[in-house]
Amino acid sequence: HTGSLYYIYLVSPYTIIKAGFLDKLSSVGQCYSIEHDLNCVWKKDIWGEIRGGTPARFVDGAYITFFHAWNYYPKYKNYFYVMGAYVFEARPPFKILGITPKPIFFKEIYSTQHLNVNKHVIYPAGFAIERKGKKMLLHVSCGENDTAIRVVSIDKDALFSSMVSVA
C-alpha cells in the first residue's frame, strides 16, 4: 500500500486505521478491526497487557512490530516491563500471523541504574534492519529502566521461528 499511512490504534481489539489526508489532517480514513485472541498465546495475567512499541517495518512479505507489556509482581514488590513481537499481514485487513508467546529476554536486561527501584523497564522504541549475507538482524532500540538506551540485536529467523501462530 505505497503512499498510504496506516497506524496501529489498538492491539485489543486489534485495530488499524488508514489516515485520510484529503483536506484536513483530522479526517479519518478506513478502519480495520479484527478480533484476535492474543491471550491464548500471550499470557496477559502473567506478562501484562500488550501495549504500544515500535513502528511496524516490512520484513519478508509481512510487517513486524515490537511491543511492551507490564505487570506488577507482589512477590518481588516490583513492576516489570517486558518486550515481545508480532507479525501481521502486509495488506488489509492486516491479520496478525504470529506472536512471541513469552517476552524477549537477553543477557544483562534491566542491568542499568534504576531511577525507581520498584520498576524494571525495557521499552522498545524502534528498530533497524541489517542484512549480513543470508542472515538478517533486527537491531531494536529500547529504553531501559527510564535511565538508559540499549540496542538489542535479534536474529530475524530465530525470532520468527519462536513465534506462535494466531488463529
Side-chain angles (χ1 to χ4, degrees):
H1 286 268
T2 306
S4 298
L5 176 64
Y6 296 88
Y7 60 96
I8 301 167
Y9 181 69
L10 291 170
V11 178
S12 184
Y14 183 62
T15 306
I16 293 186
I17 296 177
K18 178 180 179 184
F21 293 106
L22 298 176
D23 53 359
K24 294 181 180 178
L25 289 177
S26 62
S27 65
V28 175
Q30 290 178 287
C31 178
Y32 302 95
S33 186
I34 300 175
E35 287 296 327
H36 283 296
D37 185 11
L38 298 179
N39 291 320
C40 66
V41 178
W42 180 267
K43 303 299 182 197
K44 180 170 97 171
D45 56 327
I46 298 171
W47 306 115
E49 185 175 345
I50 295 171
R51 302 199 179 254
T54 69
R57 303 274 313 265
F58 190 72
V59 175
D60 289 347
Y63 283 96
I64 182 169
T65 184
F66 292 86
F67 61 85
H68 82 279
W70 64 269
N71 210 350
Y72 180 74
Y73 296 87
K75 177 181 176 180
Y76 303 106
K77 298 180 182 171
N78 267 300
Y79 289 92
F80 283 85
Y81 285 66
V82 295
M83 172 175 62
Y86 66 87
V87 177
F88 60 96
E89 293 177 332
R91 298 197 173 280
F94 306 107
K95 180 181 171 197
I96 295 177
L97 302 171
I99 186 170
T100 52
K102 295 180 181 176
I104 299 168
F105 291 116
F106 52 89
K107 188 177 181 180
E108 298 182 7
I109 190 171
Y110 310 124
S111 64
T112 60
Q113 179 183 358
H114 292 254
L115 280 180
N116 181 336
V117 294
N118 294 341
K119 264 189 351 185
H120 291 76
V121 178
I122 197 71
Y123 188 97
F127 68 99
I129 301 167
E130 179 184 13
R131 290 178 180 10
K132 284 189 166 185
K134 293 182 179 183
K135 191 174 194 168
M136 182 184 294
L137 295 174
L138 307 174
H139 302 290
V140 186
S141 65
C142 302
E144 187 176 52
N145 296 332
D146 297 332
T147 60
I149 297 170
R150 185 179 293 266
V151 176
V152 182
S153 297
I154 301 171
D155 179 279
K156 190 268 310 177
D157 290 334
L159 177 65
F160 277 45
S161 68
S162 76
M163 290 186 177
V164 174
S165 178
V166 177

